[in-house]
Amino acid sequence: MQLPVQSQSTIYAEAWEAAAGPDDLLEIARAADHSGFAYLASCDHVAIPRRLAAAMSTVWYDPVATLAFLASATERVRLLSHVAVVGLRHPLITAKQYATLDHLSGGRLILGVGAGHVQEEFEALGVDFERRGSVLDESIDALRSALGRDEFPEHHGKLYDFEGLGQRPRPTQAHVPLWVGGSSPAAVRRAAVKGDGWLPQGDPRDRLPDQIARLKRIREEAGVTEPVVVGAITEPLYIGDPAWDVGRRTLSGHPEALAESLRAYQAMGVHQIQIRFRSRSRSELTDQMGMFGAEVAPHLQP
């Protein structure tokens, strides 16, 4: 699941999150760890322009700081950047931050990356917005090297060129999983050719099968033989019969009925689902998470 509180776009934030803070994040992370969730995710924006602030808000916690903070309060749940806009920073800076996070967390990092979409953010940081796709492509290649086993990574590209510069600590993992976010044709192709996983951005169920088929076809044509982790973001969930308006798109009801609906994703070829619960408070959210782990998840096992 993506963490609440740390990003508060009006598209998905609940009203109670506006007054929430670090203590709430800690309790939610501990609940995820205890309830068997696979990962917790945090978003990435450096600054939001005034024209977008009403819709996106300006609440966007730094993902490295947030995930490192929560790593110390958890033991097994993985830590995902969903997604890091890595083109905004030099790959050696990104590698230093995320290698340290992987080291401190005992090897629990999943590095999710994306191209970004806020033009003013790129312009303020001196990065070419129109070329963000090609910047991301090379950034992925550079990060593969910089997050590898070599203390002195090497990369020679059009935008970035480095060698003979040591970085420690190295990641705990021998191979840091790199998942590519986005649902545009370019993002799907990037995930197919360069990613260990794909993080679609809100594709509805009826669109996913064609997207997955395209992903696999491009990957095969490119000669990439390693397996790829396919993700999906589900509809909002509420376990039980809600006594309040949870929205017409929300899936609600008995745990077994919810599990049956969610198993449809597995039938499409999805390997992991990212879920979001409707809630009116932190306690309602953690209750929902606990019920999901105990009563829904067991019905989702292959």
Side-chain angles (χ1 to χ4, degrees), residues 156-301:
H156 303 287
K158 294 180 179 179
L159 300 171
Y160 308 113
D161 191 285
F162 54 84
E163 67 174 311
L165 296 168
Q167 286 191 327
R168 295 182 70 183
R170 303 308 302 155
T172 297
Q173 298 179 90
H175 177 84
V176 173
L178 198 154
W179 294 359
V180 176
S183 293
S184 69
V188 173
R189 175 172 291 278
R190 185 174 296 118
V193 174
K194 294 180 176 291
D196 301 308
W198 175 49
L199 295 162
Q201 298 296 298
D203 286 276
R205 290 191 188 208
D206 59 358
R207 191 181 176 207
L208 273 172
D210 286 345
Q211 289 276 70
I212 294 169
R214 180 171 179 269
L215 174 84
K216 292 181 175 179
R217 183 177 67 253
I218 294 172
R219 198 170 179 86
E220 183 178 351
E221 290 171 352
V224 183
T225 58
E226 293 82 1
V228 61
V229 176
V230 175
I233 300 175
T234 74
E235 302 86 349
L237 303 179
Y238 191 91
I239 302 167
D241 296 320
W244 56 290
D245 183 8
V246 295
R248 64 180 182 83
R249 289 190 63 250
T250 299
L251 300 177
S252 63
H254 192 275
E256 290 186 4
L258 290 177
E260 182 179 0
S261 178
L262 295 174
R263 280 197 296 269
Y265 286 101
Q266 186 179 39
M268 297 176 196
V270 171
H271 302 110
Q272 59 88 8
I273 52 173
Q274 186 176 124
I275 55 180
R276 178 174 68 86
F277 300 99
R278 295 301 320 274
S279 60
R280 294 164 292 178
S281 65
R282 184 189 80 188
S283 61
E284 185 169 33
L285 172 59
T286 54
D287 286 347
Q288 286 282 307
M289 293 168 65
M291 285 190 287
F292 187 92
E295 302 178 36
V296 180
H299 298 290
L300 298 177
Q301 301 304 317

Side-chain angles (χ1 to χ4, degrees), residues 16-239:
W16 65 267
E17 296 178 48
D23 289 344
D24 299 283
L25 281 170
L26 282 173
E27 287 304 309
I28 292 160
R30 289 175 179 135
D33 206 43
H34 177 74
S35 300
F37 281 68
Y39 66 70
L40 292 170
S42 182
C43 304
D44 181 25
H45 277 291
V46 173
I48 305 301
R50 194 178 298 274
R51 70 178 177 90
L52 297 175
M56 291 181 65
S57 91
T58 57
V59 179
W60 295 85
Y61 287 32
D62 178 78
V64 179
T66 303
L67 295 173
F69 172 62
L70 299 178
S72 65
T74 54
E75 295 180 356
R76 49 151 301 279
V77 70
R78 302 203 72 172
L79 308 163
L80 167 68
S81 57
H82 188 186
V83 289
V85 186
V86 294
L88 294 176
R89 307 164 183 90
H90 192 285
L92 286 178
I93 295 175
T94 300
K96 168 60 74 175
Q97 293 175 314
Y98 283 101
T100 303
L101 173 57
D102 193 64
H103 176 76
L104 292 174
S105 67
R108 289 189 278 149
L109 170 67
I110 303 171
L111 181 57
V113 302
H117 65 94
V118 178
Q119 184 168 351
E120 293 93 331
E121 198 171 28
F122 281 74
E123 292 171 348
L125 296 172
V127 183
D128 189 340
F129 179 74
E130 298 301 327
R131 295 180 60 210
R132 66 193 185 281
S134 59
V135 171
L136 176 56
D137 285 338
E138 185 172 334
S139 294
I140 292 173
D141 295 338
L143 285 167
R144 288 287 192 198
S145 175
L147 290 171
R149 304 306 293 168
D150 194 341
E151 179 183 349
F152 293 87
E154 182 175 343
H155 172 81
H156 303 287
K158 294 180 179 179
L159 300 171
Y160 308 113
D161 191 285
F162 54 84
E163 67 174 311
L165 296 168
Q167 286 191 327
R168 295 182 70 183
R170 303 308 302 155
T172 297
Q173 298 179 90
H175 177 84
V176 173
L178 198 154
W179 294 359
V180 176
S183 293
S184 69
V188 173
R189 175 172 291 278
R190 185 174 296 118
V193 174
K194 294 180 176 291
D196 301 308
W198 175 49
L199 295 162
Q201 298 296 298
D203 286 276
R205 290 191 188 208
D206 59 358
R207 191 181 176 207
L208 273 172
D210 286 345
Q211 289 276 70
I212 294 169
R214 180 171 179 269
L215 174 84
K216 292 181 175 179
R217 183 177 67 253
I218 294 172
R219 198 170 179 86
E220 183 178 351
E221 290 171 352
V224 183
T225 58
E226 293 82 1
V228 61
V229 176
V230 175
I233 300 175
T234 74
E235 302 86 349
L237 303 179
Y238 191 91
I239 302 167

